[in-house]
Amino acid sequence: MRILVTGFDPFGDDTVNPSWQAVKRLPDRIAGADIIRLEIPTVFGRSLEMIEKAICDTGPDAVISVGQAGGRPDITVERIAVNCIDCRIADNEGTELHDAKIREDGPDAYFASLPYRAVTQKILEAGIPASVSDTAGTFVCNYVMYGVRDLCTRKYPDIISGFIHVPYLPSQAAEKGGVSSMSLDQIAAGLSAACEAAAEYLKERA
Ligand code: PCA
């Protein structure tokens, strides 16, 4: 059993992205599943292409993408991705789209096929604040969540996928002031619990 876990590089004004920092720390094996870690750029197009290549190369059973949601107080497990791009800032290659579709002929939205409720519960059981979220935004994170679901629906129907947003690190919050944060240890432990929930789900399904 294999789980591909992706994190993003820093974007906007930030010099660090807690998503990749935490994904990088995950152990090689969690609950019997091999963990494959991948850093992807905060760039429309290339982010998804890298995930598609990693899926081809490694044949995972689950894809969990992780991104930063600055300002949120807890780890949020996304329920849904929408067929929409509407940027507040440009991506890391200068692309800034407004009111655009991800896939012209795609459905309006995809639900996560990752068991987001069980994943949230497992993170909470580890003593880490978490909740289900109903919006992954309209930037690169939502694009990746939508794109991976779309790809799996069409080409890899057995792969489950979903998205997890993580808060700012304390160092980022110290710089910005007045925003929530979570330690890297807690974020990494939360993601580890998420992988455990996914592995248990896959085992039961098999
Ligand atoms: N967060 C952004 C994109 C990359 C990231 O870590 C988002 O929420 O869309």
Side-chain angles (χ1 to χ4, degrees):
M1 195 193 325
R2 258 172 247 136
I3 304 177
L4 172 64
V5 191
T6 72
F8 285 98
D9 68 354
F11 66 100
D13 293 336
D14 288 298
T15 52
V16 68
N17 191 321
S19 67
W20 173 242
Q21 294 306 314
V23 168
K24 198 163 74 168
R25 282 189 170 205
L26 289 174
D28 292 336
R29 276 181 82 75
I30 296 173
D34 291 322
I35 305 298
I36 304 150
R37 298 160 292 251
L38 177 70
E39 184 182 18
I40 56 173
T42 303
V43 172
F44 293 106
R46 218 147 52 79
S47 49
L48 206 49
E49 284 158 25
M50 282 183 69
I51 295 177
E52 185 165 7
K53 184 173 183 307
I55 290 175
C56 274
D57 291 349
T58 65
D61 301 285
V63 180
I64 302 177
S65 303
V66 185
Q68 162 187 303
R72 288 191 187 174
D74 58 352
I75 294 181
T76 44
V77 186
E78 301 295 344
R79 191 198 310 266
I80 194 164
V82 294
N83 190 7
C84 177
I85 301 174
D86 194 27
C87 301
R88 182 178 50 84
I89 55 168
D91 75 4
N92 284 352
E93 284 182 356
T95 301
E96 186 176 335
L97 296 163
H98 293 283
D99 301 321
K101 282 198 168 192
I102 296 170
R103 255 198 68 191
E104 213 40 64
D105 57 345
D108 287 341
Y110 281 107
F111 281 95
S113 51
L114 182 75
Y116 51 84
R117 184 66 60 190
V119 166
T120 306
Q121 199 52 40
K122 201 68 163 182
I123 301 172
L124 287 170
E125 279 164 19
I128 296 156
S131 59
V132 173
S133 159
D134 290 315
T135 179
T138 50
F139 191 44
V140 184
C141 289
N142 173 73
Y143 166 82
V144 161
M145 182 179 174
Y146 184 98
V148 175
R149 272 298 340 110
D150 188 65
L151 174 70
C152 292
T153 301
R154 288 182 292 112
K155 282 171 86 174
Y156 306 99
D158 291 339
I159 300 180
I160 58 166
S161 74
F163 199 98
I164 299 176
H165 266 120
V166 299
Y168 281 137
L169 294 171
S171 58
Q172 293 173 287
E175 228 172 72
K176 294 168 200 291
V179 294
S180 299
S181 67
M182 189 180 274
S183 74
L184 186 54
D185 280 352
Q186 272 197 314
I187 296 175
L191 295 183
S192 184
C195 291
E196 204 180 317
E200 282 169 7
Y201 175 83
L202 288 166
K203 258 180 249 163
E204 267 169 39
R205 189 185 72 167

